[in-house]
Amino acid sequence: MATSGRSYVDWDLARTTGRRLVSDGPETTAKDAAAVVADLRQAAANAAQPVADTARMDTGGAARSDVHVVDRGGWIDVNVDSTAALLSPVLEKVTAKKAAGPVAIAVGAKITGAQIGALLGFVAPKILGQFDLAPGGRPSLLLVAPNIVSVERELDVDPTDFRSWVCLHEETHRVQFTAVPWLRGHVIDRSRGLMTDLMPDPDDLQERLQHALKALPDAVRGGGNGLMDLFTTAEQREQLASLTAVMSLLEGHADVVMDDVGPKVVPSVAEIRRKFDQRRKGAGGVDRLLRRLLGLEAKMRQYRDGAVFCRAVIDKVGVDGFNAVWSSPDTLPSAREIEAPADWVARVHG
């Protein structure tokens, strides 16, 4: 009897583990919490036109994605569902090559479910917003209310301005994936392809583990993609770099748009950006170690490198010239071009 990809991960355990490990967030009254939710919904709605005008990307009148203001547990729920939808076809393809016995499947599903839940529990307090691609479902924009409140208090910035600023970033992602119809499928397919290739064959798992142990000190020191670098071959790291370049483009572009829109919509944008960037650098020792191992510091580099690329291209060929990047998968920047924007301009614009 065939076993579905979902059987290889206990997704219910992932959900309950993540929820069990994560705290509720900052204390607030029910009245204040309701006001935050309403404020975030309004900020998301208000962000739409300024982002469209600044990015100059036509969504063609497509229906707006749903906006969900969630708590940390709600964010975990959505990401468990999306991760399951993303990974299940990968697991089916990989396990079809070498099926495991029912006991091994059951035990492995529990272990993997707990691991995914623990990872989501660690990440959940750190996410302000997300455009959920929802493989096989309906994309939506998520705003994690307790995290936004926590950070605005920590930075001591104007709450209304900060909420608007966060929404500008996430709205830019919505515009990217709505105005460029092929982009969502491209990112999902590339992610699945990479994950399929990354799944280790049981026959060479021991060799991978030995390599990982030798390379662990380098991962702790940082500079790469964390644990991912420990379990990948040179060819796989090249594929990962290619996908990372796309993510750097998306994140950097959102950062550029949110700041360019900012002064018109967010009066204190300069103060927010300065304090927020300082916060990105200020993680404590244990937290920084975990960020390195999990590849979250690489995520921070995506914002920085992508923003540098976008600004350099816009300075050279303008916003409309930059938007040629969305023409097709072939016009997306390579990993090398993210670090050398002039090379992308020369390739695409001649």
Side-chain angles (χ1 to χ4, degrees), residues 51 129-131 133 141 167-179 183 247 249-255 299 303:
V51 166
Q130 172 189 346
F131 187 74
L133 294 183
L141 194 157
C167 288
L168 289 171
H169 183 101
E170 301 309 330
E171 173 65 17
T172 302
H173 286 318
R174 187 197 71 80
V175 169
Q176 290 165 346
F177 285 100
T178 305
L183 184 59
M247 304 313 294
L249 169 70
L250 298 175
E251 296 295 356
H253 180 237
D255 256 17
K299 175 74 169 177
Y303 289 94

Side-chain angles (χ1 to χ4, degrees), residues 147-218:
N147 296 350
I148 293 172
V149 171
S150 177
V151 173
E152 70 191 25
R153 290 179 181 177
E154 177 188 343
L155 298 182
D156 190 25
V157 293
D158 181 271
T160 299
D161 280 6
F162 185 73
R163 295 165 195 175
S164 296
W165 189 69
V166 170
C167 288
L168 289 171
H169 183 101
E170 301 309 330
E171 173 65 17
T172 302
H173 286 318
R174 187 197 71 80
V175 169
Q176 290 165 346
F177 285 100
T178 305
V180 187
W182 54 264
L183 184 59
R184 176 173 171 252
H186 177 77
V187 171
I188 291 172
D189 290 345
R190 289 283 299 275
S191 298
R192 282 177 173 159
L194 178 61
M195 289 176 182
T196 300
D197 196 47
L198 287 176
M199 290 289 183
D201 188 302
D203 293 337
D204 67 9
L205 183 57
Q206 185 64 35
E207 182 180 342
R208 294 277 189 98
L209 288 172
Q210 290 175 354
H211 167 74
L213 289 173
K214 291 179 182 178
L216 184 59
D218 290 334

Side-chain angles (χ1 to χ4, degrees), residues 45-64:
N46 292 344
Q49 195 59 52
V51 166
D53 292 343
T54 301
R56 296 186 197 172
M57 297 177 70
D58 182 12
T59 58
R64 283 180 52 79

Side-chain angles (χ1 to χ4, degrees), residues 261-282:
V261 170
K264 309 167 193 172
V265 179
V266 184
S268 60
V269 63
E271 176 193 4
I272 291 173
R273 169 57 72 187
R274 175 176 55 80
K275 290 184 174 181
F276 194 76
D277 285 348
Q278 288 174 346
R279 179 180 180 273
R280 279 178 175 172
K281 301 173 184 176

Side-chain angles (χ1 to χ4, degrees), residues 33-44:
V36 170
V37 171
D39 199 16
L40 286 171
R41 288 188 179 279
Q42 188 61 55

Side-chain angles (χ1 to χ4, degrees), residues 5-21 73 76-77 79-81 83-84 88 106 108-118 120:
R6 294 187 71 93
S7 302
Y8 285 87
V9 179
D10 188 332
W11 295 106
D12 289 335
L13 180 60
R15 192 186 314 274
T16 56
T17 299
R19 279 182 163 272
R20 188 180 302 119
L21 292 175
I76 288 172
D77 289 343
N79 278 272
V80 165
D81 291 341
T83 305
S88 290
K110 294 291 184 185
I111 294 173
T112 308
Q115 290 172 332
I116 291 174
L120 291 175

